[in-house]
Amino acid sequence: MSVAPKVAVIVGAGPAAWITAIALKRAFQHIPLDVTVIEHGGAPQRGAVISTLPSIRQLHRLIGLDERAFVTETGAAFKIAARHDGWAGEGSSFIHPYGEIGVDLQSVHFYKYLAKQAMGGRAPPVEAFSLAAAAARADRFGRPMQDPKSVFGSYTYAFHVDAFAYAALLRTHALKQAVKAAAGHVKDVSIAADGAIEALVLEDGSRIAGDVFVDCSGSEALLMRRMAPEVEDWSGWFSCDRMLQARASENKSLPPYTLTKATRAGWMSRAPLQHSEGAAYVYSSRHLRDDAALHDLGAFVGGDLADAAATPLRQQRRRRFWVKNCVAIGGAALALEPLASTELQVVQLGLSNLVNLFPLSYDQSVEAAEFDRVMGEHAAGLRDFVLAQYRLSAHPLAKEADAPLPDRLQYKLDTFMGSGHILVFDFETFEETDWAALLLGLGCAPTGMGLHFRLHLDALDPRMLEHLSNSIRGAAQSMPPQREYLMRSKLMSAAGDGAAHA
């Protein structure tokens, strides 16, 4: 192959496979690129709910998925924050908002004011100066305005979506754009003399040849296990090795956030949809059996659970993400507990880099090396954000971790604790405000702060701060409850729509 690939074969039956197929088809329609999805591996678990980050909206625009259709056809709900209970000790609660904290203080980030207050033991909660956090705490929601000068333009939003309904919607969308679907399981991988994949052999004996093969089969890693089985094991940092997912009944309040609650053995979560609620328990099998986890999760949501299933959780990344003409995307590339809602973010990061580095010839070694480098940095950034929540918290499992922190995370934390400054490395998903919400929410206070910042912050007018806090509280109260917003906007799906796909 001396020219750009013209046939892409994708393995997987979940959202990652269909998103990848649509994006490649649209990005390279001028070649034109022939795209086939073999529906094997990575299928969503019945009852599972995906909690996303705001970047999913950009991805939907990229693949041409209409937001109204997405919400109404899947029964998805909006999300403007994550709420974390019990992580800073019994009875504690903090919110990680999706949006700005405070206002720009003449080039000084507002979080430094909160950090300075934390040094004196009197830091107000982030929600006092974040509309997304204040609205989340009050169970209120409204789409943000486009005016960046308005407090209603200071936040963004993500979604909770039924995984099975989402995959079905994406599949339909992909087929309309001439993506091909092939039923059947991959029985064998035909390897050429040079080590590249030349075709996949299905159970019925048929062969599907291609130029580029994308593994979207999730933790099964059907292709990458053959091409590059080596992984970087993260169990020395993360003790949780099981995940129980189930579906609970409708949450009447429909809060616009993902709720997590720290437990002795791990953490539980609730992710409300329009007509039901996703429930999950991530835990250590050394401390909790599956039956006990199911009992505790039912008590947490206050009702019966349906479609409950516990599966192994291997927290790791592949040592190589692109080998010869095979690329790993999503769960086949990186497995990390969903504490920071990064499941689809991993897909998006891999996909954007694959599009940017799409090969121009048969020799893909240069593109593969750069893909591996960039995706390795992305993976480290996601890992560090989740790991920081454990190590800086009062969580019992934090005491069991036997591996020292990664150097980059230790350096980031040392810098904040010494100066109140938050470093953001290249290729990080989470920005300064995200880290500020996490660190301050867990009760971390720096021991010092630069003279310039302290002098500037000392000169702040308390009346301005009080006015800002009052404005945010009033703006949050003016927003409707999410259920009312969905009904007003005619976005409420028919009862049971999302579950029907499950």
Side-chain angles (χ1 to χ4, degrees), residues 459-475:
L460 287 179
D461 185 346
R463 293 173 297 179
M464 183 276 286
L465 297 169
E466 183 179 5
H467 174 72
L468 176 60
S469 180
N470 289 338
S471 296
I472 286 174
R473 184 167 55 253

Side-chain angles (χ1 to χ4, degrees), residues 246-265:
R247 185 61 61 86
S249 58
E250 183 176 14
N251 188 325
K252 296 296 184 182
S253 62
L254 196 55
Y257 56 78
T258 306
L259 171 64
T260 78
K261 180 176 175 56
T263 71
R264 173 183 55 83

Side-chain angles (χ1 to χ4, degrees), residues 76-89:
F78 293 100
K79 168 192 173 186
I80 54 176
R83 173 179 157 184
H84 301 292
D85 289 359
W87 290 86

Side-chain angles (χ1 to χ4, degrees), residues 117-132:
Q117 295 299 100
M119 290 171 60
R122 55 183 182 278
V126 166
E127 59 215 68
F129 297 102
S130 162
L131 180 54

